[in-house]
């Protein structure tokens, strides 16, 4: 099992069309203007050396790396580059490919020499697209994905059932894919701070805290277990969402209502193209200074009416009863399942 992870994907794609920027700290995010409110989508390794990271506000990135080159996000260009890479992976002899994002995919291969296959994939991707990738080798999808982070860029790393306890066991639970800071805090309250501790804890403890399904799943992840072969079934989106970070805070309910309606119109364009109506509305609000809240509500009936979606989102906003100014709004439409 291989996990192919493209190195600094967005920044690398930009460098292909701007080779004069090679070796410079490059940051991709928003409209490429660090004076505006936006976050880093990705950055080159030269920028990372200054402490710049994905998700960081552009203004902070500019403060950490004043000489960085800031570029705007160009989604269509990245989608095209991603598809070229995935075509290379699918064309590899005997490969079963599960695409999990613009810049990563699982590749299942029956081979006696996984490392040779990993090197061959790296070479094929670079020769065809000009991009580089790191590859993790593992006996589960999770172990392969975890291993691909070990030697970036252009590395090949192994992680198996035998090496997992030694390599991953002493690490904090938040170094486990799928365990963020919030879950980590809840685990810490249970006395679980390391991956080894998570792997060894009684399932009933996790089930009580996280539910009968999610709790045991966490222990499975703590052991590095899970699916052992990729699923090549084409990904079908469950929802479409849009969000906007406002350059000036929204200070009134009327401004919020206008913002939600604009987002709803854009979301309906996306789900209409799928041919599947909205079943549940999700609202995301980021209040000043940086407090984010998410809420959702099932609709009485599926709809493609942006007014209904906007009104539902506004009702969710009103229910928060929070009078702080708003810096970000997001609307996400969860669609009805596709017909079999």
């Amino acid at each position: 099992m291989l996990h192919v992870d493209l190195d600094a994907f967005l920044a690398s794609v930009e460098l292909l069309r701007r080779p004069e920027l090679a070796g410079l700290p490059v940051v991709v995010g928003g409209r490429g203007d660090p004076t505006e409110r936006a976050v880093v989508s990705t950055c080159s390794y030269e920028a990372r050396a200054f402490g710049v990271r994905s998700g960081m506000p552009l203004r902070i990135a500019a403060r950490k790396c004043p000489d960085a080159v800031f570029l705007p996000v160009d989604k269509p260009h990245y989608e095209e580059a991603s598809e070229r890479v995935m075509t290379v992976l699918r064309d590899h002899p005997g490969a079963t490919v599960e695409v999990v994002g613009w810049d990563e995919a699982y590749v299942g291969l029956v081979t006696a020499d996984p490392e040779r296959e990993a090197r061959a994939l790296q070479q094929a991707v670079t020769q065809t697209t000009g991009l580089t990738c790191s590859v993790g080798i593992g006996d589960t999808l999770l172990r392969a994905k975890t291993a691909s982070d070990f030697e970036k860029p252009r590395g090949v790393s192994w992680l198996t059932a035998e090496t997992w306890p030694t390599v991953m066991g002493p690490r904090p639970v938040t170094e486990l894919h799928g365990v963020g800071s919030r879950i980590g805090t809840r685990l810490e309250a249970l006395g679980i701070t390391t991956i080894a501790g998570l792997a060894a804890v009684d399932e009933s403890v996790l089930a009580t805290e996280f539910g009968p399904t999610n709790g045991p799943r966490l222990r499975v992840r703590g052991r590095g277990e899970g699916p052992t072969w990729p699923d090549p079934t084409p990904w079908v989106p469950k929802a479409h969402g849009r969000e906007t970070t406002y350059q000036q805070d929204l200070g009134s309910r009327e401004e919020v209502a206008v913002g939600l309606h604009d987002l709803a119109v854009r979301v309906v364009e996306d789900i209409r193209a799928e041919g599947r109506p909205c079943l549940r509305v999700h609202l995301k609000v980021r209040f000043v200074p940086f407090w984010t809240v998410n809420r959702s509500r099932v609709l009485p009936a599926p709809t493609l009416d942006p007014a209904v979606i906007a009104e539902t989102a506004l009702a969710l906003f009103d229910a928060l009863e929070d009078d702080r100014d708003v810096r970000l709004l997001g609307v996400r439409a969860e669609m009805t399942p596709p017909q079999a």
Side-chain angles (χ1 to χ4, degrees):
M1 170 63 56
L2 308 180
H3 179 256
V4 177
D5 191 5
L6 292 163
D7 299 322
F9 175 57
L10 305 190
S12 297
V13 172
E14 293 293 352
L15 289 173
L16 287 178
R17 58 180 176 179
R18 295 177 173 86
E20 70 276 8
L21 300 181
L24 299 178
V26 174
V27 178
V28 180
R31 296 190 293 186
D33 185 347
T35 67
E36 294 184 349
R37 287 180 174 174
V39 298
V40 176
S41 295
T42 195
C43 59
S44 66
Y45 290 99
E46 290 81 2
R48 296 180 193 191
F50 288 86
V52 180
R53 294 291 182 270
S54 297
M56 175 181 291
L58 292 183
R59 291 181 181 181
I60 295 179
R63 202 175 304 150
K64 287 180 174 290
C65 188
D67 295 328
V69 178
F70 287 84
L71 300 174
V73 173
D74 186 350
K75 182 178 177 181
H77 190 60
Y78 308 144
E79 289 174 338
E80 180 184 348
S82 175
E83 185 53 37
R84 291 201 304 271
V85 172
M86 300 312 163
T87 298
V88 172
L89 301 184
R90 294 188 186 101
D91 288 346
H92 191 79
T96 298
V97 179
E98 178 182 345
V99 178
V100 291
W102 276 350
D103 60 348
E104 60 176 318
Y106 294 104
V107 180
L109 290 166
V110 178
T111 175
D113 193 346
E115 186 160 343
R116 183 186 65 186
E117 298 290 347
R119 300 289 183 187
L121 278 173
Q122 284 181 317
Q123 184 177 11
V125 167
T126 300
Q127 286 182 343
T128 304
T129 70
L131 300 168
T132 66
C133 60
S134 299
V135 181
I137 305 171
D139 46 11
T140 67
L141 270 64
L142 177 58
R143 291 181 184 133
K145 180 176 176 64
T146 304
S148 66
D149 283 336
F150 287 168
E151 293 185 30
K152 293 185 72 69
R154 308 183 187 191
V156 174
S157 303
W158 287 73
L159 194 55
T160 64
E162 291 72 27
T163 58
W164 179 271
T166 301
V167 175
M168 299 301 296
R171 302 190 183 203
V173 290
T174 49
E175 289 195 21
L176 189 63
H177 287 287
V179 178
S181 58
R182 292 184 181 179
I183 293 178
T185 299
R186 292 171 68 182
L187 287 170
E188 185 176 2
L190 298 174
I192 303 168
T193 58
T194 65
I195 293 174
L198 178 59
V201 69
D202 192 294
E203 278 191 2
S204 62
V205 175
L206 296 174
T208 300
E209 175 66 23
F210 297 98
T213 300
N214 292 329
R217 281 179 181 170
L218 279 173
R219 192 175 76 152
V220 169
R221 296 188 75 80
R223 296 180 175 188
E225 298 170 352
T228 59
W229 196 254
D231 180 1
T233 304
W235 177 74
V236 177
K238 182 180 180 181
H240 282 287
R242 298 280 189 154
E243 64 179 48
T244 298
T245 298
Y246 298 96
Q247 299 307 310
Q248 292 185 337
D249 300 331
L250 306 183
S252 70
R253 181 181 183 276
E254 290 72 22
E255 291 177 310
V256 170
V258 171
L260 292 175
H261 183 269
D262 291 343
L263 291 168
V265 169
R266 294 161 60 194
V267 166
V268 167
E269 291 176 357
D270 295 334
I271 65 173
R272 192 181 295 277
E274 298 276 354
R276 295 154 57 198
C278 176
L279 183 65
R280 179 192 292 266
V281 176
H282 297 256
L283 170 71
K284 178 179 179 181
V285 184
R286 181 164 295 149
F287 293 103
V288 173
F290 214 80
W291 180 261
T292 305
V293 181
N294 293 276
R295 294 290 185 269
S296 69
R297 179 175 296 176
V298 176
L299 296 174
T303 185
L304 287 169
D305 187 345
V308 173
I309 295 173
E311 289 167 4
T312 304
L314 184 60
L316 289 168
F317 176 82
D318 289 338
L320 297 175
E321 297 183 341
D322 196 318
D323 59 1
R324 287 177 292 181
D325 289 354
V326 170
R327 62 180 291 152
L328 176 148
L329 288 173
V331 173
R332 181 167 169 262
E334 186 176 329
M335 297 176 287
T336 55
Q339 294 183 350

